[in-house]
Amino acid sequence: MTPAAEDRLLGDYRLRQEIERNALRVTWLAEQVSVGRLVLVDELLAQDGRDNFLADVRAKAAIDHPLIGSVYEAVAEPDCCFYAHELLAGPNLTERANAGETFLPARLAHILRRTAEAQIQHETLDHATSPMGLDAVHIDEHGVIRLTNLAVAGHRADEQSTRDVVHFGKALPQLIAPQQAGTTRMLTLLSWMRGEGLDAPLTWSQVRDFCLQIEHQLADPLSIVKPTGQVSLVTKKPVTTTVVVTLLVLAGIIFLAMRLRPPEPAPPKRVSLPEAVTIPAGNYPTPDGERQEFAAFQISAHEVTIGQYAEFLDRLATLAANGHETIFDAPNQPKDKTSHAPDDWAELFATAKANGIWHDLPVTLDSPVTGVDWWDAIAYVEWKKGRLPTQEEWHAALSYQVENPAGLAPGTWAPVTDATPDQTPAGMRGMAGSVSEWTGGQSPNPANPLGGKLHVIIGGSYLKPSSNALSREWIAEASLRRPDLGFRVIVEEE
């Protein structure tokens, strides 16, 4: 890497080191001065390639997946053209391979499965991508997996997925720890990705399914998982008398333990949810670095919870008996949207009431409701006689009594409690972590200033470790639902 000459400023970005250069562009390690974070900046060198450069940036900015790096901003002025994007944490797989690092088969299966899930998203939404190598997959010190944003302008060609599947099938064997449980299974899967012994290489969907099977087998060696498709990674072995006797002994021990153990403790007592926070009238910063005058307003201190949303659905069920279940719907809500129940609601609600585990996460009735789209949020706030905050109001609430909103420590997935980590002095909770949030109103994406107005999602997400309270996303589709997306309410005065 080459240090930048005198730490040159490019807009809001202080260029620190040159990472890569070719005839068309140069990539810099830079500091975003206004928020004090490290980012990558791609600067266009050949101005005759500006249209193609900006088309690729728009394609990258349209990507919305928690595993894939984000675009922060694009600038196209007469004397400069560049875009800033996320600096992914941790070494990539190429760097780990060069260092001689290997992974246990179960771990590598998990890494490959997550990579496949991101590629399936590209396939589903017809995203064209540049070739993907091991250097596109980063793993940080906590084991979090993130992928470089490789989207480019244009439609996805049929052979793109095969190209990347085959490449990974050839490149990954060096990363498998030898002579471990599952090593042979992983090597077999990678050979199928290369198309060996099959009519054609595997698809990304098949790669994902086989990785899940391997993870399951290695986590539970006694289980026998039925394969999907014509190929199988399962090897059946005869059950010996010793195994049978061992299982019977274990069953007896478990039975006695169940009989002798003390009764289950009562679930923890729920705390009272905090009241809405009043943001006094005043001049507050906006997310775009300007300032704006606001009248006083009240905003909920936390995201809408599962318990609160359940009350809304109960109300809709009562109204449905008289044919009035659409009374809170937005006038322009799509006619084919007939329910405001979140994804897998019955199971989620039952798990939350039992303080159980939902998709590997602990959930209670005080956990944020997720799996809701913009139309669901609009109907809920209408029922509450409120509205969604605009991104400017949300940011004003964040900034109230907070000198450095970017420094608010990100919180993880958690219910609303007095111990919520990302809490402002005024009592605003969950703005730098837990889940990102829908806002009201629409605005253009700065990465595509000539584009139309889009819905804005704001705030940190537990699925995006690099996000914080200043993070924003621009979404065209109001029907988007995600496991890290909720909302809060502006409370209207009576």
Side-chain angles (χ1 to χ4, degrees):
M1 294 190 295
T2 305
E6 299 181 356
D7 287 344
R8 178 166 65 96
L9 273 174
L10 194 60
D12 188 32
Y13 304 93
R14 189 178 302 280
L15 308 181
R16 296 298 192 190
Q17 289 179 304
E18 180 180 319
I19 305 296
E20 186 179 5
R21 177 186 291 265
N22 58 35
L24 298 176
R25 68 182 71 187
V26 57
T27 301
W28 301 97
L29 174 67
E31 178 190 1
Q32 188 174 1
V33 177
S34 61
V35 297
R37 66 178 169 189
L38 291 178
V39 301
L40 293 176
V41 171
D42 276 34
E43 180 185 9
L44 181 67
L45 299 177
Q47 292 301 313
D48 57 348
R50 173 181 289 237
D51 290 345
N52 291 336
F53 180 82
L54 291 176
D56 286 346
V57 173
R58 285 192 288 270
K60 296 179 191 300
I63 301 300
D64 176 41
H65 194 284
L67 293 179
I68 300 174
S70 302
V71 171
Y72 294 137
E73 180 184 15
V75 174
E77 297 179 351
D79 58 339
C80 69
C81 185
F82 66 90
Y83 80 99
H85 52 110
E86 185 178 354
L87 174 64
L88 300 182
N92 60 49
L93 289 184
T94 295
E95 292 167 334
R96 292 177 181 271
N98 292 339
E101 184 174 348
T102 59
F103 296 89
L104 290 174
R107 178 60 180 158
L108 191 60
H110 176 75
I111 295 168
L112 182 55
R113 172 171 65 86
R114 298 294 276 164
T115 301
E117 289 168 351
Q119 300 315 301
I120 292 168
Q121 172 90 340
H122 286 314
E123 291 176 340
T124 302
L125 299 179
D126 191 34
H127 296 150
T129 54
S130 54
M132 183 178 63
L134 296 186
D135 58 345
V137 183
H138 292 252
I139 307 173
D140 71 11
E141 59 181 351
H142 304 294
V144 176
I145 302 163
R146 302 296 305 288
L147 274 63
T148 302
N149 191 331
L150 299 176
V152 293
H155 294 287
R156 188 175 185 85
D158 293 338
E159 66 273 11
Q160 284 190 236
S161 290
T162 301
R163 171 199 68 196
D164 293 335
V165 168
V166 171
H167 177 80
F168 267 62
K170 293 178 179 178
L172 283 178
Q174 61 185 316
L175 285 166
I176 303 176
Q179 300 178 344
Q180 300 291 325
T183 295
T184 300
R185 272 172 276 190
M186 278 302 300
L187 289 172
T188 300
L189 171 59
L190 296 181
S191 72
W192 289 341
M193 290 171 65
R194 300 190 296 269
E196 296 172 9
L198 303 177
D199 294 335
L202 298 181
T203 64
W204 278 120
S205 294
Q206 290 172 318
V207 171
R208 175 200 59 196
D209 293 344
F210 281 126
C211 285
L212 274 171
Q213 186 181 120
I214 291 173
E215 289 179 80
H216 183 93
Q217 292 167 352
L218 295 179
D220 183 8
L222 293 177
S223 69
I224 298 178
V225 182
K226 292 183 179 180
T228 57
Q230 298 178 344
V231 288
S232 171
L233 292 172
V234 178
T235 302
K236 295 185 178 180
K237 296 183 179 180
V239 179
T240 66
T241 303
T242 302
V243 172
V244 173
V245 171
T246 301
L247 291 176
L248 289 174
V249 171
L250 288 173
I253 293 172
I254 293 171
F255 175 76
L256 288 174
M258 294 290 290
R259 291 290 301 273
L260 297 175
R261 71 179 181 177
E264 292 287 345
K269 184 178 180 180
R270 293 177 63 190
V271 300
S272 298
L273 295 176
E275 298 292 332
V277 175
T278 298
I279 307 301
N283 184 275
Y284 294 94
T286 71
D288 294 317
E290 301 172 351
R291 298 193 70 87
Q292 182 175 333
E293 289 290 337
F294 290 88
F297 62 92
Q298 285 190 312
I299 184 171
S300 53
H302 56 86
E303 294 108 346
V304 173
T305 67
I306 293 173
Q308 290 176 319
Y309 200 83
E311 295 175 7
F312 167 60
L313 294 181
D314 285 344
R315 177 60 175 157
L316 291 185
T318 301
L319 291 168
N322 298 313
H324 298 309
E325 66 272 20
T326 63
I327 189 172
F328 303 117
D329 291 356
N332 59 336
Q333 177 176 301
K335 296 187 181 300
D336 59 355
K337 181 174 177 60
T338 58
S339 172
H340 290 296
D343 294 335
D344 301 323
W345 172 251
E347 186 177 350
L348 170 60
F349 186 46
T351 305
K353 288 192 292 185
N355 292 343
I357 301 298
W358 171 257
H359 293 178
D360 299 325
L361 296 172
V363 292
T364 74
L365 292 176
D366 296 329
S367 298
V369 68
T370 60
V372 289
D373 60 29
W374 191 80
W375 306 110
D376 300 326
I378 288 293
Y380 179 94
V381 298
E382 179 69 18
W383 171 64
K384 295 297 289 185
K385 300 179 181 179
R387 57 184 174 83
L388 288 177
T390 65
Q391 59 170 322
E392 291 81 12
E393 288 171 325
W394 194 97
H395 195 270
L398 167 70
S399 303
Y400 177 51
Q401 297 183 350
V402 176
E403 292 185 4
N404 179 24
L408 190 63
T412 58
W413 170 265
V416 179
T417 70
D418 293 334
T420 301
D422 48 332
Q423 187 169 170
T424 72
M428 297 298 300
R429 310 181 188 203
M431 305 186 92
S434 200
V435 299
S436 299
E437 303 172 28
W438 287 108
T439 63
Q442 295 174 282
S443 71
N445 184 344
N448 181 18
L450 301 181
K453 292 184 177 181
L454 303 171
H455 295 285
V456 181
I457 293 171
I458 199 164
S461 159
Y462 76 95
L463 282 179
K464 298 183 177 181
S466 63
S467 65
N468 62 22
L470 300 185
S471 298
R472 287 186 293 171
E473 303 171 63
W474 284 262
I475 304 296
E477 187 51 69
S479 60
L480 172 71
R481 286 181 163 187
R482 293 192 332 213
D484 68 332
L485 181 54
F487 64 99
R488 70 180 72 214
V489 185
I490 289 280
V491 182
E492 299 286 16
E493 298 287 348
E494 293 292 341

